[in-house]
Amino acid sequence: MLLQGFAGLMWLLSMALIVFSGFALFDAAVRREDAYRAADKKTKPFWLIILGIAFVVNLLFPILSFLPIIGLIATIVYMVDVRPAIRALPGGGRSRRGSSSDGPYGPWNGGR
């Protein structure tokens, strides 16, 4: 009974780690490429590769092995260091598509 509870707890931790690394990977994917350089935090492809490897490792290996712990560290570094630095930039570092009223120098407000 105790081992079954421990296995359930490990499964929950594993799922939480997969969701955490998946969120970090998605967040890194939607940020602008130039935001990484502006924040002086490596490059977007670098973080996508690191976080992608961490996500795959979390899917394939049990949580108590060595590789998921390294992936967790990489994910935590992204979430507490890189993500706040990028979000602090004007526009939050998000990819913007723009609207149909945007001109070459920003949104057109109709001469107001």
Side-chain angles (χ1 to χ4, degrees):
M1 174 121 148
L2 185 62
L3 288 178
Q4 187 178 14
F6 182 73
L9 177 67
M10 288 296 110
W11 183 82
L12 284 174
L13 285 174
S14 180
M15 289 299 113
L17 191 56
I18 289 170
V19 168
F20 184 55
S21 62
F23 173 77
L25 179 62
F26 176 77
D27 186 73
V30 299
R31 301 292 174 184
R32 294 189 332 246
E33 167 68 32
D34 60 337
Y36 289 87
R37 287 178 278 144
D40 197 27
K41 300 294 181 185
K42 297 285 185 191
T43 63
K44 182 175 183 174
F46 172 83
W47 283 108
L48 288 176
I49 290 169
I50 295 295
L51 294 172
I53 290 171
F55 181 73
V56 170
V57 163
N58 289 330
L59 285 174
L60 298 178
F61 292 96
I63 192 169
L64 292 178
S65 64
F66 187 66
L67 291 176
I69 294 171
I70 293 173
L72 175 63
I73 292 169
T75 305
I76 290 172
V77 166
Y78 175 80
M79 292 298 286
V80 301
D81 183 39
V82 178
R83 185 173 186 252
I86 292 173
R87 289 183 71 190
L89 296 173
R94 288 250 178 198
S95 296
R96 288 189 359 184
R97 301 263 189 266
S99 71
S100 61
S101 66
D102 283 356
Y105 305 107
W108 184 70
N109 61 5
R112 289 183 239 170

